[in-house]
Amino acid sequence: EAGVVQSPRYKIIEKKQPVAFWCNPISGHNTLYWYRQNLGQGPELLIRYENEEAVDDSQLPKDRFSAERLKGVDSTLKIQPAELGDSAVYLCASSSGPNTEAFFGQGTRLTVV
Amino acid sequence: AQSVTQPDIHITVSEGASLELRCNYSYGATPYLFWYVQSPGQGLQLLLKYFSGDTLVQGIKGFEAEFKRSQSSFNLRKPSVHWSDAAEYFCAVLRDKVIFGPGTSLSVIP
């Protein structure tokens, strides 16, 4: 069974440019998470989806971050415009339900220069 | 507020020695509990989980963890560490969403 797939693995952009990350969850998983992990820290939740509905986006900086999960499967996280402080690893995870274990992708390492 | 603490930022052990990584949580009710491991440049891999029942849970790679309700703790243990266990370890709780601790970095001396 394929795990959570994220792309790209690495991305380097100049500040003020836009960037997008893509996530394909495990088949059949209705819950999808996006996390941001700064260097030397634990992941912090940005947004959680149940199917296509964002049920928790309280930690998503909405002035520059947006996310979508059309059709309740794949998801895209976008930053526009990117700032130097956005440099981090962006992790996607999925689970079969809101209170079940989450499985993580490899992450996208973003460097903003 | 819900929180997860891992008191040890960094631990160094000799190969073959025993290991215990500490985790404490602050929650209104007993949450579901997890330990994840992250090797450099990799995603998070689930080591073990506690939902209910036996408070001593076994995981992959020879790890185990013990849930102690009275201490709000979920410490991770391994009787004999291998060099390949060097990584970052995260304790996490789940109640609707997964909240992670800050992590403990483990170094293993050959």
Side-chain angles (χ1 to χ4, degrees):
Chain A
E1 178 181 316
V4 177
V5 179
Q6 291 186 247
S7 68
R9 286 294 312 276
Y10 305 93
K11 189 74 175 180
I12 301 175
I13 62 170
E14 294 183 344
K15 63 181 180 182
K16 300 184 181 180
Q17 294 302 305
V19 64
F21 314 124
W22 176 80
C23 173
N24 180 239
I26 293 172
S27 178
H29 279 194
N30 298 323
T31 303
L32 185 145
Y33 305 85
W34 281 104
Y35 285 84
R36 176 169 59 188
Q37 185 177 22
N38 292 313
L39 188 63
Q41 298 181 21
E44 296 177 329
L45 181 68
L46 291 174
I47 190 167
R48 176 170 68 97
Y49 282 93
E50 296 296 336
N51 298 301
E52 65 274 12
E53 181 182 1
V55 297
D56 185 348
D57 62 356
S58 57
Q59 301 303 310
L60 189 72
K62 298 182 182 62
D63 56 336
R64 297 184 301 107
F65 285 65
S66 65
E68 61 182 13
R69 190 184 185 198
L70 300 176
K71 301 181 182 179
V73 182
D74 294 1
S75 178
T76 303
L77 178 68
K78 298 178 181 178
I79 308 175
Q80 182 171 9
E83 298 179 351
L84 295 176
D86 295 330
S87 295
V89 175
Y90 291 82
L91 294 164
C92 179
S94 70
S95 66
S96 58
N99 282 307
T100 58
E101 64 204 68
F103 296 87
F104 284 78
Q106 298 273 59
T108 296
R109 180 175 296 277
L110 173 67
T111 302
V112 182
V113 297
Chain B
Q2 305 158 7
S3 67
V4 181
T5 56
Q6 293 179 248
D8 304 304
I9 296 174
H10 185 250
I11 285 181
T12 300
V13 299
S14 297
E15 191 168 18
S18 64
L19 171 70
E20 182 170 26
L21 301 182
R22 295 182 290 166
C23 172
N24 293 92
Y25 63 90
S26 174
Y27 231 105
T30 300
Y32 302 145
L33 297 158
F34 305 87
W35 276 97
Y36 286 86
V37 60
Q38 186 176 39
S39 298
Q42 300 298 311
L44 292 153
Q45 182 182 20
L46 181 67
L47 284 176
L48 47 77
K49 61 187 177 185
Y50 173 77
F51 281 14
S52 65
D54 193 344
T55 56
L56 184 64
V57 295
Q58 303 297 319
I60 62 172
K61 304 185 179 185
F63 285 93
E64 66 178 26
E66 185 173 13
F67 168 61
K68 293 186 177 180
R69 185 188 306 273
S70 62
Q71 299 178 17
S72 296
S73 69
F74 188 56
N75 294 348
L76 182 71
R77 300 193 294 249
K78 187 170 185 178
S80 179
V81 171
H82 188 263
W83 64 266
S84 61
D85 293 325
E88 192 83 17
Y89 291 80
F90 293 96
C91 181
V93 302
L94 169 63
R95 268 300 182 198
D96 295 328
K97 58 189 177 184
V98 182
I99 298 174
F100 287 86
T104 297
S105 177
L106 174 66
S107 296
V108 180
I109 301 172

